[in-house]
Amino acid sequence: MQCDYFDAARCRSCTLMGVPYAVQLGDKQRHVVNVLAPVTRGVAWLPAHAGPEAHFRNKAKLVVGGSPGAVTVGILDRGGSGVDLRHCGLYETGLDELVPRVAGLLDALGLEPYDVPTRRGEVKHVLLTHSPDGEAMLRFVLRSQKHVALLRSRLPLLLDVLPEVRVVSVNLQPEHKAITEGDVEIVLTEADVLPMRLGDVVLFLRPNSFFQTNTGVATALYRQARDWVARADPAVVLDLYCGVGGFALQAAAAPGRRNRVVRGVEVAPEAVVSARRSAAALHSSGASGADLAFAVGDATDVMALAGVTDRADAASLVVVNPPRRGIGPALAAWLEASATTHVLYSSCNVESLARDLAAMPTLRAREARLFDMFPQTSHHEVAVLLERADGAGRS
């Protein structure tokens, strides 16, 4: 991939820009295999899954800079001034055309960008998410409510200029800190969710819901998870750190037992609301007969989880998709001592993954696969299927 912004040293976020993509992918594969080698003896590595090296991002997280009527959307330089990257080549088709029009709308509305050096202004970020159906969610991150009334009054104009936008919201982030979002979200449109269609499963994303940046590779990751669930055919599936329910929904739709019990646990209430809506849609479509439910909870609270997998009588599967720090010693110890027969671990940090696998020696890695969510960077996503060694664990 060639990038004018990188060549001009305006943006160096893509640290591997200029390295042939086949080399990038090979280097990532070798890295994850080498780090996991001590804890994955005998594992079968499936071919790495990669999508296109450009035009893959479904999200645009844009720092707003410049001045009213002459905004920049992109990043800030070291001095805090805006660097315009509206034509970044990573945005997927549809989003790449939407970003410049959003920048033009900011100019047309005369919104005041937030100036980091002086700590003045209002608009800090614009966040865009684009769906496979061509719809989009647009979020304005503001310092205060000063522009909320203006945005509400100009909403018809905004939707006329940006007809693909389904959801518009304002997020309030009043603090002068290097954080993107605040706690308060004000939805301006009647619609408050963006449907993300992944085959026969639809995820309903609310404004602050997390979803993978690369829709195509995320779809492949979920497809792999569904295949592993179908092969194990568990009676009970427990999806920890379930977010908006991606893995749990795939487990509910996987071939095998029609009466499978699937439970998702997630600490963020808004994500659970989204997951429950997706579960209702999946059930009404007839794509699943599973007993599927989601609850707000801490995935690392092993006391609250005790006994959940034992209901499966040694025919259960636990999905863990933790943040970069991994699942930690307490949850790893609980899984090691549990009766679950399979664990599906999806990780964005192979170092913490290796530590966690070392803490679960009777859960042996059977298959693993690299999913390249972030071409042009060293970031990676690895999925591993673990299986209880014969005779190990509780009976």
Side-chain angles (χ1 to χ4, degrees), residues 20-33 48 370 372:
Y21 187 52
V23 175
Q24 294 182 32
L25 194 61
D27 288 346
K28 289 184 188 182
Q29 180 74 17
R30 280 187 292 275
H31 174 66
V32 299
V33 169
L370 169 69
D372 193 19

Side-chain angles (χ1 to χ4, degrees), residues 51-52 56-58 211-219 372-375:
F56 60 84
R57 285 188 64 96
N58 58 36
F211 181 68
Q212 294 283 5
T213 299
N214 191 322
T215 304
V217 178
T219 301
D372 193 19
M373 295 279 185
F374 307 101

Side-chain angles (χ1 to χ4, degrees), residues 14 24 60 68 84 99 103 148 161 163 175 186 226 250 264 279 294 303 383:
C14 293
Q24 294 182 32
D84 196 90
V99 170
V148 174
V161 173
E175 298 183 83
I186 304 169
R226 184 188 290 211
Q250 296 295 333
F294 295 90
M303 296 302 294

Side-chain angles (χ1 to χ4, degrees), residues 80-95:
S81 296
V83 177
D84 196 90
L85 304 174
R86 69 184 67 189
H87 297 294
C88 174
L90 298 185
Y91 301 141
E92 69 182 23
T93 300
L95 182 59

Side-chain angles (χ1 to χ4, degrees), residues 48 58 63 65 103 168 188 190 212 235 258 272 278 291-292 297 301 331 361 373:
N58 58 36
V63 181
V168 180
L188 303 182
E190 182 177 352
Q212 294 283 5
R258 291 289 296 173
V272 172
S278 295
D291 177 1
L292 175 60
D301 185 356
L331 183 53
M373 295 279 185

Side-chain angles (χ1 to χ4, degrees), residues 232-237 257 260-261 309-318 339-342 394:
D233 199 17
V236 172
V237 174
R257 304 172 193 253
R260 181 174 295 135
V261 175
T309 58
D310 293 338
R311 295 171 54 192
D313 297 326
S316 62
L317 182 147
V318 177
T340 190
T341 56
H342 294 84
R394 296 203 308 258

Side-chain angles (χ1 to χ4, degrees), residues 315-340:
S316 62
L317 182 147
V318 177
V319 179
V320 288
N321 182 26
R324 290 187 59 81
R325 65 179 178 271
I327 64 174
L331 183 53
W334 179 77
L335 288 168
E336 171 67 10
S338 74
T340 190

